[in-house]
Amino acid sequence: MLSLQAIAQPVNNQNGRKVQVAILFDTSNSMDGLIDQAKTRIWSIINELSSLRFLGQTPLIEIALYDYGNSGLTAESNYIRQQVALTTDLDVISAKLFGLSTNGGDEFCGAVIQKSMQDLAWSNNQ
């Protein structure tokens, strides 16, 4: 089963539009056989985001990456790890994304969604 969550929240800032996205990537063994395909699809979505235009302007795109469900992570963290906080650096996102691998584990999808909502510097601007 592909357990992949993305949260997108478009907001305004002083420099125009901003889009903030958290990618929550399941690295439990349920992703064995699917992980490379999922990474490629996620990267395709990131590329689509980077080409967004609104009224002829390019919004600022900030992406965060979490992985969860991997037995190499601690139970105290609900098997969740923030790989990258919100950033515009797609090279960092790419390196971290394509470096992910599966390893057993438990999947706490709700916990990783809650953690990303609490940890990231989401804009409050509507």
Side-chain angles (χ1 to χ4, degrees):
M1 179 178 114
L2 178 61
S3 177
L4 180 64
Q5 302 288 327
I7 302 165
Q9 182 177 9
V11 295
N12 287 325
N13 66 10
Q14 301 92 324
N15 301 324
R17 299 265 177 198
K18 181 190 294 187
V19 176
Q20 296 177 310
V21 177
I23 298 167
L24 314 176
F25 202 95
D26 178 359
T27 55
S28 70
N29 273 28
S30 69
M31 290 296 289
D32 286 349
L34 297 172
I35 193 162
D36 290 333
Q37 179 182 352
K39 288 176 190 178
T40 300
R41 182 64 185 127
I42 291 297
W43 191 247
S44 173
I45 292 168
I46 291 170
N47 281 325
E48 286 181 45
L49 286 172
S50 66
S51 67
L52 289 176
R53 302 285 179 273
F54 181 76
L55 299 176
Q57 295 182 340
T58 303
L60 180 66
I61 307 294
E62 294 182 331
I63 299 173
L65 176 64
Y66 285 78
D67 69 311
Y68 68 98
N70 191 308
S71 291
L73 305 174
T74 66
E76 294 78 29
S77 71
N78 285 328
Y79 303 100
I80 298 168
R81 172 177 42 204
Q82 183 185 74
Q83 290 283 339
V84 183
L86 288 167
T87 183
T88 59
D89 191 340
L90 296 184
D91 291 335
V92 170
I93 295 292
S94 174
K96 293 292 188 176
L97 175 66
F98 286 99
L100 294 175
S101 60
T102 60
N103 182 25
D106 295 302
E107 304 164 35
F108 298 110
C109 298
V112 72
I113 292 168
Q114 180 180 15
K115 184 153 183 63
S116 69
M117 295 303 293
Q118 292 172 343
D119 288 356
L120 296 173
W122 296 106
S123 174
N124 290 326
N125 192 333
Q126 295 296 322

